[in-house]
Amino acid sequence: MSQFSKIGERLKLEGKTIWLELPDICPGAALLLKPASQANRPYYNALYRNLTKKQGQAIKGPQATLLMIDENRNDDRKLFPKYIIADWRGIENDAGKKVKFSQELAQDLVLQLEDWLFDEIRTFASAPRNFLADPDEEVGDVKELAKN
């Protein structure tokens, strides 16, 4: 048995979620996100399926990079409601009424977001450290060890 198994357990991202506050959508709005990484196997498998579909498509010239960025963002607009956004709170419709989360409504929401805001959500969900334990909590553990 490893002497460092607690470290490995603490660093696992599978099954973890975190709230991301999004006041730019409306006051009090937040999305409950799953990791947009290998730790989220259904999402990772969907990315792989998309990649294998695109293999063989020739991309030429300097515009290829810009096209790829837009394509990847659009792919994630389809995948995030299904695999990354687990819930929400404080999301209001056009009538100003709070709406309950569903994948269909999440799909509608992400299609309405400006690229910069959706990219912010993608970046946050792709950063593993956002899903780890609170850093203050870890500091507390270190202080406790220092007493021994």
Side-chain angles (χ1 to χ4, degrees):
M1 181 165 182
S2 174
Q3 295 182 39
F4 305 104
S5 60
K6 288 183 180 179
I7 293 171
E9 285 301 313
R10 185 174 48 84
L11 297 176
K12 284 189 185 215
L13 300 180
E14 291 86 353
K16 293 195 177 179
T17 57
I18 190 165
W19 286 100
L20 174 62
E21 304 293 326
L22 293 166
D24 295 308
I25 293 177
C26 59
L31 299 179
L32 182 64
L33 302 175
K34 299 175 187 177
S37 70
Q38 182 173 338
N40 181 341
R41 295 308 290 175
Y43 173 71
Y44 210 65
N45 290 338
L47 281 179
Y48 179 74
R49 284 190 299 275
N50 282 351
L51 178 66
T52 56
K53 283 181 197 174
K54 292 178 184 181
Q55 280 182 336
Q57 294 177 353
I59 298 174
K60 298 175 184 174
Q63 293 181 357
T65 303
L66 296 176
L67 289 172
M68 290 170 61
I69 290 170
D70 288 340
E71 262 185 39
N72 288 338
R73 181 185 299 117
N74 290 333
D75 287 347
D76 272 346
R77 285 186 194 271
K78 294 172 191 164
L79 297 175
F80 267 52
K82 187 172 183 179
Y83 300 108
I84 304 301
I85 303 171
D87 199 0
W88 65 34
R89 63 178 180 224
I91 302 290
E92 299 174 357
N93 63 16
D94 289 344
K97 297 190 180 197
K98 291 188 176 166
V99 292
K100 189 175 171 111
F101 172 81
S102 73
Q103 285 184 7
E104 294 79 21
L105 289 176
Q107 182 71 59
D108 187 16
L109 176 69
V110 299
L111 290 173
Q112 300 308 312
L113 298 178
E114 290 291 324
D115 290 345
W116 67 266
L117 184 54
F118 186 63
D119 287 346
E120 188 175 296
I121 295 166
R122 292 169 70 214
T123 300
F124 184 88
S126 298
R129 290 194 184 282
N130 290 332
F131 294 88
L132 295 177
D134 185 298
D136 293 335
E137 206 175 290
E138 292 177 28
V139 170
D141 291 344
V142 171
K143 287 179 183 174
E144 189 63 34
L145 286 173
K147 290 180 186 177
N148 295 334

